[in-house]
Amino acid sequence: PGLTSSAHKEYQRQIIEKALHAIDHCTPEEKDITSMTMAIDESKLEDARKLITKFRRDLCAFLEDSPQTRVFNLGIQLY
């Protein structure tokens, strides 16, 4: 936490580029691309990170708990 390697930053750039590509090239059934702008209390950011981590892990466990047929990527950005 707090430190990100240049390799990890490049990986995140690639994931975001794939999301941009998906906007125009994936069918609605193959994607869920949404965003939300909100005014927040910055003191809650650490708790928000924990909730995001839990959500990602729970969703991954749910989706991988049956035979896998395709590879998808979940990207979440809070900034």
Side-chain angles (χ1 to χ4, degrees):
L3 299 175
T4 306
S5 70
S6 59
H8 188 259
K9 288 178 184 179
E10 179 57 29
Y11 172 72
Q12 291 302 320
R13 282 186 191 91
Q14 290 172 8
I15 295 300
I16 291 169
E17 287 171 6
K18 286 179 182 286
L20 290 170
H21 182 267
I23 289 172
D24 293 321
H25 297 96
C26 290
T27 66
E29 296 79 23
E30 296 175 307
K31 67 183 178 195
D32 183 346
I33 299 176
T34 58
S35 63
M36 173 183 280
T37 302
M38 59 193 125
I40 68 163
D41 175 351
E42 287 182 86
S43 70
K44 294 182 177 182
L45 276 176
E46 186 55 37
D47 289 336
R49 286 186 186 96
K50 291 175 185 174
L51 286 169
I52 291 168
T53 298
K54 181 179 182 334
F55 168 73
R56 286 190 341 249
R57 291 177 179 163
D58 289 349
L59 184 62
C60 183
F62 170 74
L63 292 172
E64 289 186 338
D65 190 29
S66 57
Q68 293 93 41
T69 58
R70 288 181 65 187
V71 175
F72 280 73
N73 182 276
L74 172 68
I76 301 172
Q77 299 80 35
L78 177 63
Y79 58 91

